[in-house]
Amino acid sequence: LPIFFGMFLKRKILHSNIRTKEVVDKSYNQSTWKTVLETKSWENKHSLSDFLNSNIENNVESDINFKCILLMNSRLYQTSVLNRKKLHTQLITELIKKYTKNSDEIVEIGCGYGLNLFSLVSQGLENSMSGCDISPNSITTGKKINDTFNCNVKFDIVDITKNLNSMDLKDKTVISFHSFEQIKYYTDDVINDLIDAKVSQVIHFEPISELYGITARDISSFLYIKARDYQDNLLHTLKNFEKIGKLKILENYRLGYAETPFH
């Protein structure tokens, strides 16, 4: 709590760590996704499952049995990176199956190199799938992985804060997984563009601070979001659009799951 509160005050006082496009680019395109691309770890894997079960979480391949902490059923557990990956895939797959039909086309915005889409393919989903991201390095990586394992997933470079209308999203299911987290200052615009695109539905897997309570864990998570200048107005914005009849919120609830204790 003191650390996150101190980070939050520092950002407010110095106006630093504002989540601009430049900050996101430096954190992902020039760092995480660039390093993943350079590892080319998919080249020495026999199958898509082997690749997904390898540990490139920290940008280099390391011990898949390395211990980590995750939140499951609202409790903290120590487990292996491999088990965390399997739980992630299971959760994503179950929820996508719950809200979609086999005939639905699925598009992930802010997809990174396509981890979620490839995970769905590995679980046997036969939906038509595609992903977009602002990062050239992540899209290049996704295309190379797709070509290696013949996944039939399409990738495009798209800045969803200004070029979302370049995509054909009509009647499609859109997924956001920690991507709205990065675009706090463009929430209204992107939601409005999704509405204009006449999407069928949007499934958000995002940290929603509006649902946090007053427990020590929730307070620290809230301060973490504030300190890092992550998304803090998604549900509020969606409700405002719902009030004027532009969309309908079908469900919103806490999963009780996160791959790090901070979310």
Side-chain angles (χ1 to χ4, degrees), residues 32 66 157 244:
T32 302
F66 183 81
I157 299 174
I244 59 176

Side-chain angles (χ1 to χ4, degrees), residues 106-117:
I106 297 172
V107 180
E108 183 177 7
I109 56 176
C111 66
Y113 64 83
L115 172 62
N116 295 312
L117 297 171

